[in-house]
C-alpha cells in the first residue's frame, strides 16, 4: 500500500472511531460541580474582602492605641511608660506585618 | 461565539459554562479515550479538565481560542491520569511493524457496526501518543503545527509518531480482522 493510499485508508478508518460521551448525566453532574466551584470561589472572595476590612479596622485601632500608650505617663506593673510604648509598638508591628503577609498571600492566590 | 459565553461566565453567569461543556464534551471524550483507553477513566479526565478550565477561565488570553487552551489542559490531564494509574502499555516498536497490504476490501466488507467496533478496539491497542496523534490529525483536523502546540512535542517527533501510528493502526486492524475470521470459521 502506498503512502497516499495508506493515508486515505487511515482517514477512512478514523472516520469510524468518533466516540460520543456515553454517560447521559455527565453534563448535569459536571454543572453541579461547576456551580459548587463558583459558590466556593465567591465565598472565598467575600472572605478575603472581609479580612481586608477587619485588617484595616485593626490597624486603625492599633494606631490609636499606640498613640494613647505613648501619651501615658504612669508605669504599669513596674514597667516604665517608654518601655511599655516600645513593647506595644513592637508587638503591633509584628502582628501587622504577619497579617499583611498572610492577606497578600491569600489575595494573590485568588488572583491566580 | 465561545468568547461571548466565556465573558458571561466571567461576569458571573455560571450556567453559561454549560454551552462549552455541550460543545466540547464529545470531542474531549474521544481525545481522552485515545490516551487512557478506558471509558470511565476518560470521563474522569474530561470532568477534571472542564473543572480546571472553569477555575482558570480568567487566565485565558483573548488571542488563544478556548478549544486550543482547553485541549492543552485535557491532554495534560489525560497523561497525568496515565502516570497516576501507572499504566504500562507495552507495544512493539516500529521495527516490528510489517507493511500491511490488502485489508481495505475485507474491511469494507464488514457491516458499519463491526467496522466501528474494530477501529475503536484497535485504537485501544496502540500506544497513547500514537492514538492521540491520529485522533487530533484525522478526526479533529489539527495540523502538524497545531499538534505540536497542543502536545509540546517537536515537529519532527509529531511526524514520526504519526507515521508509526498509521502503520500500527493498520497492523492491529489486520490482526483483529484475521482473529475475527478465525473465530468465525471455527
Amino acid at each position: 500500500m502506498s503512502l497516499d493510499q495508506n493515508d486515505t485508508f487511515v482517514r477512512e478508518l478514523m472516520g469510524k472511531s468518533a466516540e460520543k460521551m456515553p454517560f447521559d448525566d455527565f453534563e448535569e453532574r459536571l454543572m453541579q460541580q461547576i456551580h459548587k466551584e463558583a459558590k466556593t470561589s465567591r465565598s472565598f472572595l467575600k472572605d478575603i474582602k472581609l479580612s481586608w476590612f477587619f485588617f484595616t479596622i485593626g490597624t486603625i485601632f492599633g494606631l490609636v492605641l499606640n498613640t494613647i500608650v505613648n501619651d501615658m505617663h504612669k508605669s504599669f506593673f513596674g514597667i516604665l511608660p517608654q518601655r511599655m510604648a516600645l513593647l506595644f509598638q513592637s508587638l503591633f508591628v509584628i502582628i501587622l506585618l504577619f497579617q499583611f503577609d498572610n492577606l497578600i498571600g491569600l489575595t494573590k492566590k485568588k488572583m491566580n | 461565539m465561545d468568547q461571548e459565553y466565556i465573558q458571561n461566565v466571567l461576569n458571573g453567569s455560571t450556567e453559561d459554562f454549560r454551552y462549552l461543556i455541550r460543545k466540547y464534551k464529545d470531542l474531549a471524550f474521544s481525545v481522552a479515550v485515545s490516551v487512557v483507553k478506558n471509558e470511565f477513566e476518560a470521563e474522569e479526565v474530561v470532568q477534571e479538565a472542564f473543572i480546571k478550565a472553569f477555575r482558570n477561565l480568567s487566565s485565558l488570553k483573548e488571542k488563544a481560542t478556548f478549544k486550543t487552551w482547553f485541549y492543552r489542559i485535557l491532554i495534560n490531564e489525560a497523561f497525568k491520569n496515565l502516570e497516576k494509574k501507572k499504566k504500562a502499555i507495552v507495544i512493539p516498536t516500529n521495527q516490528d511493524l510489517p507493511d500491511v497490504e490488502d485489508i481495505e476490501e475485507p474491511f469494507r466488507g464488514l457491516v458499519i457496526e463491526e467496522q466501528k467496533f474494530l477501529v475503536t478496539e484497535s485504537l485501544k491497542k496502540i500506544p497513547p501518543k500514537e492514538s492521540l496523534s491520529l485522533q487530533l490529525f484525522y478526526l479533529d483536523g489539527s495540523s502538524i503545527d497545531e499538534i505540536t502546540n497542543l502536545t509540546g512535542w517537536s515537529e519532527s517527533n509529531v511526524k514520526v509518531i504519526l507515521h508509526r501510528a498509521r502503520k500500527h493502526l493498520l497492523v492491529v486492524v489486520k490482526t483483529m480482522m484475521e482473529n475475527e475470521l478465525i473465530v468465525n470459521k471455527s
Side-chain angles (χ1 to χ4, degrees), chain B residues 15 27 40 47 49 58 70 73-74 76 80 84 96 100 110 123 128 132 147 161 168 171 177:
Chain B
E15 192 54 33
L27 266 175
F40 293 101
Q47 190 164 309
S58 56
F70 174 64
I73 299 175
L74 178 75
N76 199 24
K80 247 168 65 184
K84 201 166 68 186
D96 306 311
V100 175
L110 299 170
L123 280 170
L132 175 66
I147 300 177
I161 291 172
H168 219 143
V171 169
M177 275 198 318

Side-chain angles (χ1 to χ4, degrees), chain A residues 1 3 5-31 33-35 37-38 41-42 111-112, chain B residues 14-15 17-18 21-22 25-26 29-30 33 39-40 43 46-47 50-51 54-55 100-101 103-104 107-108 115-116 119-120 123 134-135 138-139 166 169-170:
Chain A
M1 207 188 287
L3 262 176
Q5 274 179 307
N6 207 332
D7 186 68
T8 315
F9 186 53
V10 171
R11 194 173 292 281
E12 183 185 331
L13 289 180
M14 288 306 292
K16 318 271 182 204
S17 77
E19 288 210 47
K20 286 200 164 191
M21 175 63 75
F23 309 102
D24 293 336
D25 59 343
F26 174 79
E27 190 181 309
E28 262 336 295
R29 276 188 289 121
L30 183 55
M31 273 316 288
Q33 267 186 285
I34 294 290
H35 280 297
E37 277 284 325
S41 172
R42 272 194 296 268
M111 294 298 185
N112 291 335
Chain B
T14 309
E15 192 54 33
F17 196 73
R18 191 185 288 274
I21 296 175
R22 208 167 278 175
K25 68 175 181 187
D26 290 332
F29 182 73
S30 275
V33 165
E39 272 129 18
F40 293 101
E43 189 214 11
V46 175
Q47 190 164 309
F50 271 118
I51 291 173
F54 177 76
R55 276 187 203 144
V100 175
E101 304 275 338
I103 62 161
E104 293 180 41
F107 178 79
R108 286 176 188 142
Q115 289 179 347
K116 280 185 178 171
V119 177
T120 310
L123 280 170
L134 288 175
Q135 196 77 31
Y138 289 105
L139 211 62
R166 282 188 205 105
L169 180 66
L170 292 174

Side-chain angles (χ1 to χ4, degrees), chain B residues 85-132:
Chain B
K85 307 259 158 86
K86 297 213 185 299
K87 273 190 185 174
I89 301 168
V90 184
I91 294 160
T93 61
N94 200 25
Q95 290 156 344
D96 306 311
L97 298 172
D99 281 332
V100 175
E101 304 275 338
D102 308 323
I103 62 161
E104 293 180 41
E105 285 317 309
F107 178 79
R108 286 176 188 142
L110 299 170
V111 291
I112 303 257
E113 286 312 310
E114 282 174 331
Q115 289 179 347
K116 280 185 178 171
F117 175 77
L118 196 65
V119 177
T120 310
E121 288 306 304
S122 301
L123 280 170
K124 285 181 186 167
K125 292 186 192 313
I126 69 174
K129 281 187 177 180
E130 293 181 12
S131 47
L132 175 66

